[in-house]
Amino acid sequence: AIFVYGVTIFALSATVARTSLLAEKLVLMDIALLPWVISIGMGCVLASASITHMSGSSRVLQALARDKLIPILNPFEKGSKYGDEPRRALFLTYLVIQVLLFIPNINYVAPFITLSYLILFSTINFACFFLSVI
């Protein structure tokens, strides 16, 4: 994947003007032979990332509830009977996503979501690191 991204970046930087790269968010759609292939690819990536992040977030929520760090999260520690799937946490994650979808411009929400994920996962990584060192 890193190789493909690297080749794409190099090819775009060699063939597209800098002003176009800075100004247009969907520059690949403008230069592609089959723009609908780019649209299908973006849809697949969006669906995959959405499902992955939704299930990952619910598992993190369930783990936080099981650690009893925040008492209000305690109802979300219970998993399903078979497979211990975090259904309650998944439902809360779904509700939060639905509320965020009512915001008319996604560019208002994107920085908040990005920073939240960065803070959450860096905190988890630091906690795991410190627990392994100590």
Side-chain angles (χ1 to χ4, degrees):
I2 293 174
F3 177 75
V4 173
Y5 288 134
V7 169
T8 304
I9 291 169
F10 181 74
L12 282 174
S13 66
T15 58
V16 179
R18 184 175 192 271
T19 54
S20 294
L21 289 174
L22 292 173
E24 299 176 32
K25 293 181 182 177
L26 299 175
V27 71
L28 279 177
M29 297 278 288
D30 296 335
I31 63 173
L33 292 175
L34 302 171
W36 58 271
V37 173
I38 304 293
S39 297
I40 291 173
M42 288 187 334
C44 291
V45 167
L46 176 68
S48 172
S50 299
I51 292 170
T52 301
H53 288 292
M54 192 166 133
S55 64
S57 299
S58 62
R59 291 184 188 281
V60 169
L61 179 61
Q62 183 184 37
L64 285 172
R66 285 187 175 164
D67 289 343
K68 300 193 185 311
L69 296 174
I70 304 170
I72 199 167
L73 296 179
N74 288 346
F76 301 105
E77 69 180 319
K78 186 177 180 187
S80 65
K81 191 173 185 179
Y82 301 105
D84 197 34
E85 296 295 325
R87 291 187 182 157
R88 292 180 183 179
L90 189 62
F91 183 70
L92 177 67
T93 306
Y94 175 77
L95 287 178
V96 169
I97 290 170
Q98 294 305 311
V99 168
L100 290 175
L101 286 176
F102 282 111
I103 297 174
N105 190 350
I106 194 70
N107 290 329
Y108 295 139
V109 182
F112 172 73
I113 293 172
T114 302
L115 288 175
S116 298
Y117 269 106
L118 288 173
I119 290 169
L120 174 71
F121 288 115
S122 63
T123 303
I124 291 171
N125 287 334
F126 283 133
C128 292
F129 172 74
F130 288 129
L131 286 174
S132 67
V133 171
I134 295 176

